[in-house]
Amino acid sequence: MMSGIRGNVGRSESMRTGASVDSHDSVGGGSTGNGGSGGPGSNVRLGFANLPDQMHRKAVKKGFNFTLMVVGESGLGKSTLISSLFQQDLYKDRELGSATERVNKTTEIDKRQIELDEKGVKLRLTVVDTPGFNDAINCQDCWRPIEDYIDNTFEQYFKDECGLNRKNIVDHRVHCCLYFVSPCGHGLRPIDVELMRRLHSKVNIVPIIAKADTLTQAELRDLKERVLADLDRHKIQTYRMPDTDSDDDEETRRQESDIRACIPFAVIGSNCVVESADTGRRTRGRQYPWGVVEVENPKHCDFAKLRIFLLGTHMQDLKDITKEVHYENYRAKYITERMSKRKGAVRDDFETRKSKNTTEANFEAIVDTEGLLKEKEDELFNAK
Amino acid sequence: MTTVEVMKGLGPDVRTIKLNGHVGFDSLPDQLVNKHVAQGFSFNIMCIGETGLGKSTLIETLFNQRFEFTPSSHEVPQVKLKPHTYDLKEGSVKLKLTIIETSGFGDQVNKEDSSKPIIDYINQQFENFLQEELKIKRSLHTYHDTRVHVCLYFIAPTGHSLKSIDMVTMKKLDSRVNIIPVIAKSDTITKPELQRFKTRIQNEIANNDIHIYQFPTDDETVSEQNSIMKNLVPFAVVGSSDEITVNGRKSRARQYPWGAVLVDSEAHCDFVRLREAMLRVNMDDLRERTHAMHYEHYRRQRLAEMGFSDEDKLSLQEMYEKRRETHQAELQRKEEEMRQMFVVRVKEKEQELKKAEGDLQTKFEAVKKQHADEKRKLEEKRQGLDEEIAEFQRRKTAADNRNNLASGTSFTLSKSKKK
């Protein structure tokens, strides 16, 4: 009977192979039929070269989600940049407080979600804004709410992962943090350094020079150099792009090295449409009496490169690094802390019970008087 | 025929006379001006703003000179002020210009103490002047006046509103110095945004009762200009020392890929208006206000602290004497107190030492007694041991004797042994 079954199995397998071969042909030979598929001497295409297509279809059906955090002080153009990046005005109904309200303001976390659809690919984008950062007079610990938020999202994911029903985990983890550096300055400020030091091991930080239309070409070069030097000096690890593989073509490699040379990106954002000076096209830009700045012109700023980087080429890598590196670090730390806390609680109890005797205090008093008498003895001896 | 306006405020025993011919005292203002020009003027500008906002560049642009300021870093732990003095000459007018710049303003994480060094500096200059005024032998006309005449407050071009530190600092300084707020690096802001920004700042300044410098409108010659200036505050400025050639002319500008911002163009920024308002039209009024309002305010406060007031009707001399006497009495009382305390302390210390000595003595006795005891014990033990040895010897000789008797010979060994 067993053999009978085996026989059946064998037959169904061959049938399946046959079927896949058929479907392989019907697809139209799109997938590569590299000669080396299958064992020696078999010219049967197994068809797993189809896998990327299957993955593609499934991913498109499932949709993508991405969480982007923007951090920087008020007035650096964060909201405008987000609107320019995603071609949507997310912050239409926002109210800005006056200076009196900001004297003692704490950092808040403001989440907004939108769903975008491009050529059938759905993206669920969450933008986490941090209004109130560096607004108050005393900004001690103003990074605490941001740190706590990131930790909470990690903790939430960890608990979900350990839970019983894992089908519908929603991933709120922050995949990328755009840190806005003020262009009026000679590099990073102490508060910038403080925040980045606390976040660089928890989230991918991409530094951005905001309002880059304040700077001439030479000043921009200087500032980028200084920012990179400051980051180096304080040992802050910002997001590093993965090295290109050798089998990527020349075009991608050039693009990649272009983008890498640009970090930190110097961006300009705009919610208005202007007419470009040389082509006459209408694009997003800023109109000045002395000229027109085009947001998407690579000669004017790095906005186009930032968009390619964030949306075009590295979004998945950002998510992967968050998942594999930052989340795993957090998880390991969290678990070991919980273990040691439990052990530590037991140890602490024992020690407090031991130190309840008072002989320690007396001993110290005795030592003192002995020392004093010895001194006096020496004095008397020397006086003699 | 020259006429003289009726001078208000004079008593009934002053007669106004109409002149019948030219007397010549209408040259008094010229005489005054000539004397001052010979002496030279001094003007002190303070620039407050975050690091990197272009304070040094704006001063260089204003005075068309390179002053070689070094840019400061962001990691200064406390706000510091750096005064630099320069001698400038335009035409026949000599100007001693002092520029005081803040470094590290707005860089610290906790900015609560940011305004303290600034207030201390301003007060210090007032104090120096006051001391000079109160001196017995004083030389006010050659005194180098270092009081701050105007404070340019640089606002960051966020486009939204004032920052909290801007508001708090301006509020603290508005009663001590003339403040002119300016928007720094204003080539970041488009024209419509700039209008909104200025309106917002003006509203915030009015709502919070911040008394920035008001350009004087009572003098007809300048009132029109000044009322225009008033609406322009805060001035949106752009500073640059680099020159580029535009339309065949060299002018100061900032060159961008999309165009060039001309500093001297009124359409591009308010730099020219600021220069007019501050230097050409109202410079003397700024000095006047510093002396008449801010300095007097400080002086009144200070003298009140020292104990002087207008109600006692005592002359300064008598007040000084009285003060000195009270001060001396105070000092004497304090001396007495300290002396008494000293005596008490010495007594206490003596007692302590005596007690310690007593303790030491008893301890010494105890140790001695212990020593004697042990010695005695050892002596006894020794005696015991000696006796035992003697006993042992006796026994030995007895045994030997017995042996000798038994063998019948007598030896002298025992004797020698006994030795």
Side-chain angles (χ1 to χ4, degrees), chain A residues 274-283 291-294 296-300, chain B residues 257-259:
Chain A
V274 294
E275 247 187 50
S276 146
D278 18 313
T279 61
R281 258 183 322 133
R282 295 183 68 78
T283 62
V292 176
V293 181
E294 291 158 46
E296 314 212 4
N297 186 336
K299 285 193 261 194
H300 289 185
Chain B
W258 48 86

PDB file of all heavy atoms in Angstrom, chain A residues 274-283 291-294 296-300, chain B residues 257-259:
ATOM      1  N   VAL A 274       5.369  77.956  -9.968  1.00  0.00           N
ATOM      2  CA  VAL A 274       5.883  79.142 -10.652  1.00  0.00           C
ATOM      3  C   VAL A 274       6.271  78.751 -12.065  1.00  0.00           C
ATOM      4  O   VAL A 274       6.360  77.570 -12.397  1.00  0.00           O
ATOM      5  CB  VAL A 274       7.141  79.696  -9.949  1.00  0.00           C
ATOM      6  CG1 VAL A 274       6.785  80.224  -8.587  1.00  0.00           C
ATOM      7  CG2 VAL A 274       8.196  78.643  -9.855  1.00  0.00           C
ATOM      8  N   GLU A 275       6.550  79.761 -12.830  1.00  0.00           N
ATOM      9  CA  GLU A 275       7.006  79.493 -14.193  1.00  0.00           C
ATOM     10  C   GLU A 275       8.514  79.483 -14.202  1.00  0.00           C
ATOM     11  O   GLU A 275       9.152  80.422 -13.745  1.00  0.00           O
ATOM     12  CB  GLU A 275       6.495  80.608 -15.111  1.00  0.00           C
ATOM     13  CG  GLU A 275       5.477  80.109 -16.090  1.00  0.00           C
ATOM     14  CD  GLU A 275       5.109  81.177 -17.087  1.00  0.00           C
ATOM     15  OE1 GLU A 275       6.044  81.775 -17.666  1.00  0.00           O
ATOM     16  OE2 GLU A 275       3.915  81.428 -17.231  1.00  0.00           O
ATOM     17  N   SER A 276       9.057  78.428 -14.776  1.00  0.00           N
ATOM     18  CA  SER A 276      10.510  78.328 -14.780  1.00  0.00           C
ATOM     19  C   SER A 276      11.101  79.348 -15.733  1.00  0.00           C
ATOM     20  O   SER A 276      10.505  79.726 -16.731  1.00  0.00           O
ATOM     21  CB  SER A 276      10.893  76.915 -15.220  1.00  0.00           C
ATOM     22  OG  SER A 276      12.077  76.932 -15.949  1.00  0.00           O
ATOM     23  N   ALA A 277      12.305  79.799 -15.397  1.00  0.00           N
ATOM     24  CA  ALA A 277      12.906  80.878 -16.180  1.00  0.00           C
ATOM     25  C   ALA A 277      13.329  80.406 -17.566  1.00  0.00           C
ATOM     26  O   ALA A 277      13.077  81.063 -18.561  1.00  0.00           O
ATOM     27  CB  ALA A 277      14.101  81.453 -15.423  1.00  0.00           C
ATOM     28  N   ASP A 278      14.008  79.239 -17.650  1.00  0.00           N
ATOM     29  CA  ASP A 278      14.558  78.864 -18.956  1.00  0.00           C
ATOM     30  C   ASP A 278      13.595  78.063 -19.805  1.00  0.00           C
ATOM     31  O   ASP A 278      13.602  78.188 -21.026  1.00  0.00           O
ATOM     32  CB  ASP A 278      15.903  78.116 -18.811  1.00  0.00           C
ATOM     33  CG  ASP A 278      16.105  77.575 -17.415  1.00  0.00           C
ATOM     34  OD1 ASP A 278      15.886  78.341 -16.469  1.00  0.00           O
ATOM     35  OD2 ASP A 278      16.508  76.413 -17.288  1.00  0.00           O
ATOM     36  N   THR A 279      12.759  77.197 -19.176  1.00  0.00           N
ATOM     37  CA  THR A 279      11.911  76.380 -20.041  1.00  0.00           C
ATOM     38  C   THR A 279      10.487  76.896 -20.092  1.00  0.00           C
ATOM     39  O   THR A 279       9.722  76.485 -20.950  1.00  0.00           O
ATOM     40  CB  THR A 279      11.880  74.930 -19.539  1.00  0.00           C
ATOM     41  OG1 THR A 279      11.328  74.946 -18.209  1.00  0.00           O
ATOM     42  CG2 THR A 279      13.271  74.342 -19.502  1.00  0.00           C
ATOM     43  N   GLY A 280      10.127  77.768 -19.181  1.00  0.00           N
ATOM     44  CA  GLY A 280       8.765  78.281 -19.216  1.00  0.00           C
ATOM     45  C   GLY A 280       7.734  77.308 -18.678  1.00  0.00           C
ATOM     46  O   GLY A 280       6.546  77.608 -18.643  1.00  0.00           O
ATOM     47  N   ARG A 281       8.203  76.110 -18.246  1.00  0.00           N
ATOM     48  CA  ARG A 281       7.249  75.154 -17.687  1.00  0.00           C
ATOM     49  C   ARG A 281       6.781  75.611 -16.324  1.00  0.00           C
ATOM     50  O   ARG A 281       7.468  76.386 -15.651  1.00  0.00           O
ATOM     51  CB  ARG A 281       7.937  73.799 -17.536  1.00  0.00           C
ATOM     52  CG  ARG A 281       7.574  72.810 -18.619  1.00  0.00           C
ATOM     53  CD  ARG A 281       8.225  71.468 -18.363  1.00  0.00           C
ATOM     54  NE  ARG A 281       9.555  71.602 -17.843  1.00  0.00           N
ATOM     55  CZ  ARG A 281       9.995  70.911 -16.789  1.00  0.00           C
ATOM     56  NH1 ARG A 281       9.191  70.086 -16.170  1.00  0.00           N
ATOM     57  NH2 ARG A 281      11.228  71.070 -16.357  1.00  0.00           N
ATOM     58  N   ARG A 282       5.629  75.108 -15.928  1.00  0.00           N
ATOM     59  CA  ARG A 282       5.165  75.445 -14.597  1.00  0.00           C
ATOM     60  C   ARG A 282       5.545  74.311 -13.640  1.00  0.00           C
ATOM     61  O   ARG A 282       5.093  73.189 -13.799  1.00  0.00           O
ATOM     62  CB  ARG A 282       3.644  75.642 -14.609  1.00  0.00           C
ATOM     63  CG  ARG A 282       3.248  76.841 -15.465  1.00  0.00           C
ATOM     64  CD  ARG A 282       1.751  77.068 -15.415  1.00  0.00           C
ATOM     65  NE  ARG A 282       1.298  77.498 -14.104  1.00  0.00           N
ATOM     66  CZ  ARG A 282       1.416  78.735 -13.629  1.00  0.00           C
ATOM     67  NH1 ARG A 282       1.991  79.677 -14.351  1.00  0.00           N
ATOM     68  NH2 ARG A 282       0.980  79.051 -12.439  1.00  0.00           N
ATOM     69  N   THR A 283       6.377  74.634 -12.672  1.00  0.00           N
ATOM     70  CA  THR A 283       6.776  73.627 -11.681  1.00  0.00           C
ATOM     71  C   THR A 283       6.688  74.264 -10.309  1.00  0.00           C
ATOM     72  O   THR A 283       6.485  75.468 -10.179  1.00  0.00           O
ATOM     73  CB  THR A 283       8.235  73.164 -11.869  1.00  0.00           C
ATOM     74  OG1 THR A 283       9.075  74.300 -11.686  1.00  0.00           O
ATOM     75  CG2 THR A 283       8.456  72.589 -13.238  1.00  0.00           C
ATOM     76  N   GLY A 291      14.982  86.354  -9.192  1.00  0.00           N
ATOM     77  CA  GLY A 291      15.057  85.099  -9.924  1.00  0.00           C
ATOM     78  C   GLY A 291      14.014  84.121  -9.429  1.00  0.00           C
ATOM     79  O   GLY A 291      13.265  84.394  -8.494  1.00  0.00           O
ATOM     80  N   VAL A 292      13.982  82.985 -10.086  1.00  0.00           N
ATOM     81  CA  VAL A 292      13.017  81.959  -9.716  1.00  0.00           C
ATOM     82  C   VAL A 292      13.775  80.703  -9.327  1.00  0.00           C
ATOM     83  O   VAL A 292      14.624  80.232 -10.088  1.00  0.00           O
ATOM     84  CB  VAL A 292      12.085  81.646 -10.909  1.00  0.00           C
ATOM     85  CG1 VAL A 292      11.160  80.511 -10.556  1.00  0.00           C
ATOM     86  CG2 VAL A 292      11.308  82.876 -11.285  1.00  0.00           C
ATOM     87  N   VAL A 293      13.469  80.172  -8.165  1.00  0.00           N
ATOM     88  CA  VAL A 293      14.098  78.937  -7.719  1.00  0.00           C
ATOM     89  C   VAL A 293      13.181  77.781  -8.060  1.00  0.00           C
ATOM     90  O   VAL A 293      12.007  77.811  -7.708  1.00  0.00           O
ATOM     91  CB  VAL A 293      14.310  78.954  -6.192  1.00  0.00           C
ATOM     92  CG1 VAL A 293      14.982  77.684  -5.751  1.00  0.00           C
ATOM     93  CG2 VAL A 293      15.114  80.165  -5.789  1.00  0.00           C
ATOM     94  N   GLU A 294      13.693  76.807  -8.763  1.00  0.00           N
ATOM     95  CA  GLU A 294      12.871  75.639  -9.071  1.00  0.00           C
ATOM     96  C   GLU A 294      13.252  74.510  -8.138  1.00  0.00           C
ATOM     97  O   GLU A 294      14.407  74.149  -8.002  1.00  0.00           O
ATOM     98  CB  GLU A 294      13.099  75.195 -10.514  1.00  0.00           C
ATOM     99  CG  GLU A 294      12.560  76.161 -11.517  1.00  0.00           C
ATOM    100  CD  GLU A 294      13.274  75.958 -12.837  1.00  0.00           C
ATOM    101  OE1 GLU A 294      13.417  74.795 -13.238  1.00  0.00           O
ATOM    102  OE2 GLU A 294      13.717  76.961 -13.413  1.00  0.00           O
ATOM    103  N   GLU A 296      12.619  71.344  -8.404  1.00  0.00           N
ATOM    104  CA  GLU A 296      13.050  70.078  -8.992  1.00  0.00           C
ATOM    105  C   GLU A 296      14.259  70.205  -9.896  1.00  0.00           C
ATOM    106  O   GLU A 296      14.654  69.252 -10.539  1.00  0.00           O
ATOM    107  CB  GLU A 296      11.895  69.487  -9.782  1.00  0.00           C
ATOM    108  CG  GLU A 296      10.606  69.540  -8.991  1.00  0.00           C
ATOM    109  CD  GLU A 296       9.703  68.383  -9.301  1.00  0.00           C
ATOM    110  OE1 GLU A 296      10.112  67.511 -10.076  1.00  0.00           O
ATOM    111  OE2 GLU A 296       8.590  68.359  -8.760  1.00  0.00           O
ATOM    112  N   ASN A 297      14.836  71.372  -9.960  1.00  0.00           N
ATOM    113  CA  ASN A 297      15.997  71.582 -10.815  1.00  0.00           C
ATOM    114  C   ASN A 297      17.244  71.132 -10.073  1.00  0.00           C
ATOM    115  O   ASN A 297      17.554  71.672  -9.020  1.00  0.00           O
ATOM    116  CB  ASN A 297      16.073  73.073 -11.147  1.00  0.00           C
ATOM    117  CG  ASN A 297      17.153  73.381 -12.157  1.00  0.00           C
ATOM    118  OD1 ASN A 297      18.114  72.627 -12.302  1.00  0.00           O
ATOM    119  ND2 ASN A 297      16.982  74.484 -12.861  1.00  0.00           N
ATOM    120  N   PRO A 298      17.961  70.151 -10.600  1.00  0.00           N
ATOM    121  CA  PRO A 298      19.113  69.646  -9.831  1.00  0.00           C
ATOM    122  C   PRO A 298      20.219  70.668  -9.672  1.00  0.00           C
ATOM    123  O   PRO A 298      21.037  70.549  -8.776  1.00  0.00           O
ATOM    124  CB  PRO A 298      19.585  68.433 -10.640  1.00  0.00           C
ATOM    125  CG  PRO A 298      18.970  68.585 -11.969  1.00  0.00           C
ATOM    126  CD  PRO A 298      17.737  69.383 -11.819  1.00  0.00           C
ATOM    127  N   LYS A 299      20.206  71.710 -10.528  1.00  0.00           N
ATOM    128  CA  LYS A 299      21.255  72.726 -10.362  1.00  0.00           C
ATOM    129  C   LYS A 299      20.931  73.666  -9.212  1.00  0.00           C
ATOM    130  O   LYS A 299      21.795  74.370  -8.710  1.00  0.00           O
ATOM    131  CB  LYS A 299      21.399  73.538 -11.640  1.00  0.00           C
ATOM    132  CG  LYS A 299      22.124  72.763 -12.717  1.00  0.00           C
ATOM    133  CD  LYS A 299      22.545  73.655 -13.840  1.00  0.00           C
ATOM    134  CE  LYS A 299      21.553  73.480 -14.863  1.00  0.00           C
ATOM    135  NZ  LYS A 299      21.312  73.708 -16.083  1.00  0.00           N
ATOM    136  N   HIS A 300      19.646  73.693  -8.812  1.00  0.00           N
ATOM    137  CA  HIS A 300      19.263  74.621  -7.766  1.00  0.00           C
ATOM    138  C   HIS A 300      19.343  73.976  -6.400  1.00  0.00           C
ATOM    139  O   HIS A 300      19.715  74.623  -5.428  1.00  0.00           O
ATOM    140  CB  HIS A 300      17.840  75.145  -8.013  1.00  0.00           C
ATOM    141  CG  HIS A 300      17.753  76.078  -9.183  1.00  0.00           C
ATOM    142  ND1 HIS A 300      16.600  76.733  -9.515  1.00  0.00           N
ATOM    143  CD2 HIS A 300      18.669  76.464 -10.077  1.00  0.00           C
ATOM    144  CE1 HIS A 300      16.822  77.492 -10.575  1.00  0.00           C
ATOM    145  NE2 HIS A 300      18.069  77.342 -10.948  1.00  0.00           N
TER     146      HIS A 300
ATOM    147  N   PRO B 257      22.583  80.434  -8.345  1.00  0.00           N
ATOM    148  CA  PRO B 257      22.401  79.924  -9.708  1.00  0.00           C
ATOM    149  C   PRO B 257      21.168  80.519 -10.384  1.00  0.00           C
ATOM    150  O   PRO B 257      21.074  80.518 -11.605  1.00  0.00           O
ATOM    151  CB  PRO B 257      22.205  78.409  -9.514  1.00  0.00           C
ATOM    152  CG  PRO B 257      22.785  78.116  -8.199  1.00  0.00           C
ATOM    153  CD  PRO B 257      22.629  79.340  -7.364  1.00  0.00           C
ATOM    154  N   TRP B 258      20.216  80.988  -9.592  1.00  0.00           N
ATOM    155  CA  TRP B 258      18.995  81.477 -10.201  1.00  0.00           C
ATOM    156  C   TRP B 258      18.935  82.989 -10.253  1.00  0.00           C
ATOM    157  O   TRP B 258      17.931  83.568 -10.629  1.00  0.00           O
ATOM    158  CB  TRP B 258      17.781  80.953  -9.427  1.00  0.00           C
ATOM    159  CG  TRP B 258      17.895  81.133  -7.953  1.00  0.00           C
ATOM    160  CD1 TRP B 258      17.567  82.231  -7.216  1.00  0.00           C
ATOM    161  CD2 TRP B 258      18.403  80.176  -7.015  1.00  0.00           C
ATOM    162  NE1 TRP B 258      17.819  82.021  -5.882  1.00  0.00           N
ATOM    163  CE2 TRP B 258      18.343  80.765  -5.739  1.00  0.00           C
ATOM    164  CE3 TRP B 258      18.906  78.884  -7.112  1.00  0.00           C
ATOM    165  CZ2 TRP B 258      18.762  80.112  -4.588  1.00  0.00           C
ATOM    166  CZ3 TRP B 258      19.325  78.233  -5.967  1.00  0.00           C
ATOM    167  CH2 TRP B 258      19.248  78.849  -4.721  1.00  0.00           C
ATOM    168  N   GLY B 259      19.974  83.655  -9.855  1.00  0.00           N
ATOM    169  CA  GLY B 259      19.934  85.114  -9.899  1.00  0.00           C
ATOM    170  C   GLY B 259      20.886  85.693  -8.878  1.00  0.00           C
ATOM    171  O   GLY B 259      21.579  84.969  -8.150  1.00  0.00           O
TER     172      GLY B 259
END
